[in-house]
Each structure stands twice: as C-alpha cells, then as structure tokens.
Amino acid sequence: MRPQTCSRRGLLGWLAAGAAVSRPGRAAAGRPNILYLMADDHASHAISAYGSRINRTPNIDRIARGGMRFDNCFCTNSICTPSRGVILTGQYSHITGVKTLNDALDPARQNVAKLLRAAGYQTAIVGKWHLEKDPSGFDYWNILPGQGLYYDPDFLTPGKRTKHSGYATDLITDFSLDFLRRRDRARPFFLMCHHKAPHRPWQPDARHAHLYDDVTVEEPFNLYDHYENRSRAAAAATLKVGENMNQTDLKRPIPPDLKGDALRKWAYQYYIKDYLRCIASVDDNVGRLLDYLDREGLAGNTVVVYTSDQGFFLGDHGYFDKRFMYEESLRMPLLIRYPPEVKAGAVNGDMVLNLDFAETFLDYAGAHPPADMQGRSFRPILAGRTPPDWRRSMYYRYWMHLADHGVPAHYGVRTREWKLIYYYGKALGSAGAIDRDTAPEWELFDMVHDPHEMHNLYDDPARAGVVKELKAELVRLRKLYQDDDGI
C-alpha cells in the first residue's frame, strides 16, 4: 500500500526547504547511514535469532546473520514512553523528566536527532512516538497520535492529522520507504522506523490472521507460576494471563467457568498466537526495508539496528506486559549489522543499555556527545573490542507505583551473577502513579543458577555478604547517575 498524497507533499516540502540550507554532510562522505528499526513490546525470546521456540523471524534474523546479536541488552525503565525518552536523549528517566506514560519529552531538550542533524544528517521518524509533544530535531516526521490504531490509523505530520486506510505496520514501512526514496542522496540519513506492533491488543493483519491456527504454541515452563518464594509484589501484580485480560485482548468472551490455571492455559493460546501474528507482519516489513537497502546498494554503508523499547512477558511467570525488573521485561533484543566493522554472525554478552544508543549513533556519525549524556558508545564492542573498563553492572528504575497493572515502584541493580530489587513502596508524586504506600521489600536472584528468577534469596543468611555488596553497588550507581532522592 502506498502513502497518500498528503505525506508526499510533506516530504516534498521538507526537501525543498532542505535545498536552501547548507549541506555539511557533503564534506563528510562515507559516514554511514543509520536505519533504526524498533518494535513495541517485542521480547527477544520471540525472535528466532535468539533461539525462539515459538516462532520464526527470517527477516529480522537477516540482521543477526549479517551482524551482531547482543544477549545482554537491557532497558533502564521498562515502559514505553520513558524508554523512548532514554533512547533519544541518552539520559535516565529522572533526568529527562519522562518517568511515566503520562510525561512529555520537552521539545527544547537535546536529543540524538538534533545532534545528528547538526552533523549533516537528514533525520526522520515514522510510526510510534508516544512522547506527548511534537517531535523536535527531525527534518521529517509522520507519527501515530498516542498509541495509535492497528487498522486505518491517523498519522500526524506538522500541523496536520490525516486518516490512512490500511494496517499500521505496512503504512509505517510505506512512509519510511517514501522518505528513503525522496531523500537528498548527497547526505547520510538517520531514520527511526517505530512500529506499533506487537503492542496490546495484538490485532494481526489479514495476511497472518490464521497463522498458527493448527498449532499448539509451546507454553513457558513457568506459565503456572504461583509466586512461592517471591515478593508480595510478584503475586499481587495484575498482569496475569487470562485473569487480568479482557474480551478485546482475547477476541472472544471469556468462559465464566474457567478459573485459575485452566483459565491461564486457555487464554495463553489466544494471546500468544495474536502476539506472534503481529510479529510476523513486523518481520515481513523489516524485510521490505532490508530489500530496499540491497537494491539501492546501501546495505554496505548503513548501520541497521533492530530492537524493541523494552522486553515483554510471554506467559513467563504467568504474566503478560512488562514493568518489572524481571529478565523477560528487562531484556531488550538488539541486533546490529554494519558490514565494514561488525563481523557477520557475531554474538556478544557484554552489558549494554538503551542509554547507550544515542552515543553509539553519534560515534558512527563522527559527532561528539554532550557531557550530560549518561551512556557510552558501544561501537568498539561492535568491532570486537570490548573496552577493559566496560560496565559490569546496570541500574534500573520503574516509577509508576501501582498504576495500570499494580506493579509497585522499584529500583535495582543487575550484575552478571546477581540481581537485587528494592520495592520502595511510594509514589513520590509521579504522574500516573497511585498515591498509596505499600510495604517496602527486597528480592535477590542468582542469575547463574536461577536465571528465570523463581527463588528470592534475600533472606538467606548465606547470601548476606552478596546483599551487602550489591547494596553498596546500588548506592554507587545511584550517585553516578544522579538519582539520589533519599529513597
């Protein structure tokens, strides 16, 4: 499906305006283009390059085969709006002020698009934005209002709102391709293609509506988790498959006689199949963009990134959604292809964060990051050279106390071997949080011997030394990232 005329006009207007300004990029030929592909809520364990046992993603896998797969990429706040703020600014949520779904990214704030544009790049964003106020720093933008719709969605361009016929994933790719075809070919581009899918309520397109009809999708081993030996927070959260879903999620009435594990088992198949159908459409459209790069001879000089804004529970612990610092929610897929520097088929286990993306893009552009960015370029890691002082721990914080799915506010530290989480039980006045205190509690997980986080070891006397060390590291990280609010 082709974009409608209004979007073409927007692009033509942008190109005409661009002809009147200086072109610093002409003096910097050879710098790579950057194509940033991001899905919404796409868990790494639903990508076949990560060993998925429930689906195949052949086009996303093309990026992995031609580049590097990161096995320990984490988000710093597992919810859509804050994560997008972190990715754009290279700063934690408490610095940007984008802590919750209701917070806006100040258009005056520095972001990676502004910096790349100043370095001579053409900048564009298409698809899900979800940061309340209009984008800034982009030469061209065509975005969904808020979360947007799967079918016949409205899109926003500067000063205009237009309804388009079709499926969001296809339209987002159509508009992205149109930008690429009409770009100034004398300058490198930075294109952020942000898919709505596979976000709830998981509405697949017609091409994939019956995919998996004759298949029973494998259940995660802990689908029937009942949260023994875990925090009260784990048991109380309202993101349980079946129990906390509705007819819109499952596309059918919920049988009133189904309860407990039986309801979870029944609902899982309907949930996961629609989720995977949405991913199949994303995968097809990733292929369309990769094919364009191949046809145009751009693949060799384009950094191609595939990721998600955070992880997602696929029935793991009986959950859907995200928010928790648990692995399935914390871990992001990250696949990057750039043939001149990245060895094909490489796999890396270093700890990288969405906080690092902006500085990595600037590194490839030959631009210096501002001093207030808090991440670090992982370009050396992509080239196969991990710096000896690379991080060995990461800091996470979720602010939306008890909102939406009843997950309490918490922060924590993860190392290669351990994870310590503190549910501090206060809303702290954050927009979108519920102003009701809960009792503070801690969780400690052994990530080597209990990677699925089934046993909280915090009260085990034998782990007292580990707890002490991790608390000290948590204090260090909070000071480093300027998040010392006394909680």
Side-chain angles (χ1 to χ4, degrees), residues 357-411:
F357 290 5
E359 295 195 41
T360 303
F361 300 155
L362 292 172
D363 194 346
Y364 277 114
H368 295 291
D372 60 359
M373 280 190 172
Q374 297 177 302
R376 183 176 178 182
S377 171
F378 52 84
R379 184 178 180 181
I381 294 175
L382 283 160
R385 301 184 301 273
T386 301
D389 61 345
W390 192 256
R391 73 169 62 85
R392 300 180 184 277
S393 63
M394 62 84 59
Y395 175 62
Y396 175 91
R397 186 164 186 177
Y398 173 76
W399 296 80
M400 295 185 67
H401 185 63
L402 301 180
D404 296 331
H405 289 289
V407 177
H410 59 283
Y411 58 72

Side-chain angles (χ1 to χ4, degrees), residues 17-129:
V21 300
S22 62
R23 302 279 175 84
R26 291 187 183 277
R31 290 184 300 170
N33 306 303
I34 302 170
L35 174 58
Y36 179 82
L37 306 167
M38 186 164 74
D40 191 325
D41 293 346
H42 190 178
S44 58
H45 52 309
I47 296 175
S48 42
Y50 279 93
S52 172
R53 295 183 294 178
I54 59 175
N55 71 323
R56 291 290 173 264
T57 50
N59 289 298
I60 296 170
D61 293 356
R62 288 165 62 181
I63 304 172
R65 285 197 304 273
M68 180 174 286
R69 185 189 82 202
F70 286 85
D71 285 350
N72 286 308
C73 177
F74 301 118
C75 62
T76 56
N77 183 350
S78 186
I79 196 72
C80 299
T81 305
S83 179
R84 290 162 195 272
V86 171
I87 288 165
L88 283 162
T89 64
Q91 296 174 318
Y92 267 91
S93 300
H94 58 276
I95 301 294
T96 66
V98 185
K99 302 174 184 176
T100 77
L101 291 174
N102 301 308
D103 295 323
L105 182 66
D106 184 354
R109 182 173 286 279
Q110 191 65 272
N111 68 44
V112 68
K114 292 180 181 180
L115 294 164
L116 287 171
R117 185 166 66 175
Y121 275 67
Q122 299 166 90
T123 58
I125 183 166
V126 180
K128 182 173 174 179
W129 172 246

